[in-house]
Amino acid sequence: MSVSEQVSVTGSTRRGFLRSAAIVGGAVATIAAIGGGPLATVAHAAPGPGPADARSDGAGRSVAIFGAGVAGLTAAHELIERGFEVAVYERKELGGKARTIFSDKGLPGEHGFRFWPGFYRNLTDNMRRTPFPGNPNGCWDNLTRATTYLHSGAGRHDLTIPFPFPVPAIPSPITPQNFIDSVASVFETVFRLPPWEAVFAAQKLGVFVTSCDERKLGQWDNVAWNDYMRADWSSPEYGRFMADGIIRNLAAIKSANASTLSIGIVGEATVWSVLTFGNDEGGSVDRVLNGPTSTRWLDPWVAHLKGLGVQFHVGWELEGFDISGQRVASAQVSTPGGRQSLDADWFISAIPVDKFQPMIDEKMLAADGTLADILQLETDWMNGLQFFLRERAPVTTGHVNYVDSPWALTSISQGQFWKGGLAAYGDGSVQDCLSVIISDWNTPGMFNGKKARDCTPEEISAEAWAQIKAHLNDTDDVLRDGMLHSWMLDPAIEGSGTPAVSNDEPLFIQSPGSWALRPTSATGVENMFLAGDWVKTDVNVTTMEGANEGGRQAVNALLKAAGSAERPCKIEVLAKAPWWEPFKAVDRERYRAGQSNVFDIFDARTP
């Protein structure tokens, strides 16, 4: 069964991809050899339940969208341009997790710093269509390139990768053998891995790129990356580069519970981006905004949608759907004025997976029993900690991965990218913002020995600052305590330092086996559609691009259900390498026969 057939039957800030360039940055020596993900056939028109009445006089064209994050704003943008009546309901703040968060001192920070790799092509389309004063290409012109990536160790070798990466001559023709040889050479020389480990790692990447879609979905999605790469059998240095040292920063995930399918897709897409193949026009492997996310993108987007007629209601939280038979009759919401019932012709849920799970009740399951799988999807914590500095601390002209930090810290120095810096905010004395992400909240710290989730906000700040200094100050005093003006922990972390600590905004993670559990945007509830980075999307991982793609899929499913003559949303899919297709064809037959990939010396199905 093909991927597209499976989808029919079953129905991204840096946020997601943080710095996979280090794991594949070396592999760029030959990974023109790596193509797009196995999900490339999921997309252009999500399956719909059948035509309904959508008359040209406006009847049957009202849409209620719940959630004003990237997925909800995308759906609103596409629908309002197609003549629908759109109302968006948001429980918290417009922009969702992508929004800028201001400290009590008026300083701008982020839930997580933003990252627009070159293979983002759907999200950037909406940015081009969002006007911004003085920009011919709208908000898209506010993107600027980050030119380096720093892989920083504590008291040992650091690795700086420049963008664009100096790519050696690519072998022609590309074969699995010269692919493995070339990648192994880079892993040995750049990452300083022992020769046998370099060859083994390259061989495992060769297995993935020559695996057919059926194996990627049926086998590799069920195998953790840590097991696939045999990280527990290898040296600490191997683990730092090929397992948790990199993978735990791709999303709120660790190599022990990261699907090999998802990590493989990230690697393939990132390498293509490095090689400028399949990129957004003018795109590079690492792009960021030239100012706070809300002011440079989200606020103009909301203003544009309001101008087109979209209605926004903030402080309105979805509590459930009233389902009659196969349709939503109304939605129940809590509002600043009390509980209320909402009527609409069509309903799109663009809320995060952890917020949608409580919506699933017996009536919803009676209409579509497969939605029960959503209850098994998992989330994890990945939240921002902002250090506001009195001096510039660029560190590197891009993102930094603190590879030995037990809290899986990563950062970017915002001041060097923001027009006018930060002097216009707060009391005017702040010159930089070291925007940090904590991806591991469950491992004891280097200095206080406590898990981040067990610490008070003050302890979190002090320990993260100490971990970063241990990485950056081993050769020079990059950061000094006197530089620190103030700090801000993401307010989504509630009850820090108490047993009741919680995270109001966790992220969906792609744990092994999660692909089969994820829904499509169309459901068995005829007028209810799902949008977000947790539905089945081609990009697969938790990103703004995935959220945008999910929003577009929900619109396409709605258009089909409405029998609308409006054009469907175009959905760009990840690039694929044609030269691997003969090897994938052979692997398809081997997979159907129950055999391992021909290049898989150690079949990951066995210990």
Side-chain angles (χ1 to χ4, degrees), residues 455-511:
C455 293
T456 65
E458 292 75 17
E459 289 172 330
I460 292 173
S461 172
E463 173 67 19
W465 182 255
Q467 289 186 30
I468 292 172
K469 288 197 300 181
H471 285 72
L472 297 181
N473 292 359
D474 49 1
T475 57
D476 193 10
D477 286 337
V478 178
L479 293 181
R480 304 182 312 279
D481 293 343
M483 298 169 64
L484 186 59
H485 174 278
S486 56
W487 54 270
M488 177 181 65
L489 180 65
D490 188 337
I493 305 298
E494 301 173 344
S496 293
T498 74
V501 63
S502 64
N503 188 343
D504 187 50
E505 298 183 3
L507 295 184
F508 166 62
I509 59 171
Q510 298 75 53
S511 52

Side-chain angles (χ1 to χ4, degrees), residues 141-279:
D141 284 337
N142 289 332
L143 291 175
T144 186
R145 294 190 178 196
T147 57
T148 58
Y149 157 78
L150 175 61
H151 191 78
S152 180
R156 59 187 184 80
H157 171 64
D158 287 352
L159 173 64
T160 298
I161 297 178
F163 299 129
F165 190 87
V167 183
I170 298 172
S172 180
I174 296 174
T175 68
Q177 187 58 56
N178 63 34
F179 167 83
I180 292 170
D181 290 344
S182 298
V183 174
S185 175
V186 173
F187 284 168
E188 184 178 354
T189 56
V190 177
F191 291 169
R192 302 184 181 181
L193 295 182
W196 74 270
E197 288 187 339
V199 171
F200 178 77
Q203 176 260 335
K204 294 302 290 184
L205 295 181
V207 169
F208 188 84
V209 299
T210 59
S211 289
C212 62
D213 288 354
E214 291 87 347
R215 187 184 300 280
K216 287 177 178 176
L217 290 171
Q219 183 176 356
W220 300 143
D221 187 57
N222 295 301
V223 176
W225 179 259
N226 191 72
D227 296 332
Y228 180 79
M229 296 303 294
R230 300 293 175 115
D232 292 343
W233 290 15
S234 307
S235 67
E237 195 68 15
Y238 179 93
R240 289 187 184 102
F241 282 102
M242 308 309 298
D244 276 340
I246 299 298
I247 301 309
R248 67 186 180 185
N249 296 294
L250 296 177
I253 199 165
K254 307 170 185 66
S255 62
N257 64 354
S259 157
T260 294
L261 170 68
S262 299
I263 298 306
I265 289 174
V266 170
E268 293 182 22
T270 302
V271 169
W272 275 129
S273 184
V274 171
L275 296 171
T276 69
F277 180 84
N279 274 347

Side-chain angles (χ1 to χ4, degrees), residues 343-364:
D343 296 326
D345 298 304
W346 311 99
F347 298 84
I348 294 179
S349 174
I351 61 179
V353 64
D354 61 299
K355 301 301 186 291
F356 184 79
Q357 288 168 332
M359 306 298 122
I360 301 174
D361 59 15
E362 292 182 1
K363 288 186 177 181
M364 186 179 291

Side-chain angles (χ1 to χ4, degrees), residues 561-578:
S564 174
E566 295 288 344
R567 72 190 188 287
C569 305
K570 182 178 181 180
I571 299 179
E572 301 283 358
V573 297
L574 298 174
K576 299 187 73 173

Side-chain angles (χ1 to χ4, degrees), residues 12 14-18 39 220-226 247-266 353 376-380 382 506-518 532-544 546-547:
S12 273
R14 91 101 148 95
R15 204 147 234 69
F17 288 85
L18 203 89
L39 317 181
W220 300 143
D221 187 57
N222 295 301
V223 176
W225 179 259
N226 191 72
I247 301 309
R248 67 186 180 185
N249 296 294
L250 296 177
I253 199 165
K254 307 170 185 66
S255 62
N257 64 354
S259 157
T260 294
L261 170 68
S262 299
I263 298 306
I265 289 174
V266 170
V353 64
Q376 300 181 58
L377 297 178
E378 302 177 58
T379 61
D380 205 344
M382 179 187 239
L507 295 184
F508 166 62
I509 59 171
Q510 298 75 53
S511 52
S514 60
W515 176 259
L517 303 173
R518 294 164 68 173
D533 53 18
W534 55 277
V535 303
K536 282 186 169 79
T537 64
D538 180 66
V539 76
N540 186 270
V541 226
T542 303
T543 57
M544 295 186 296

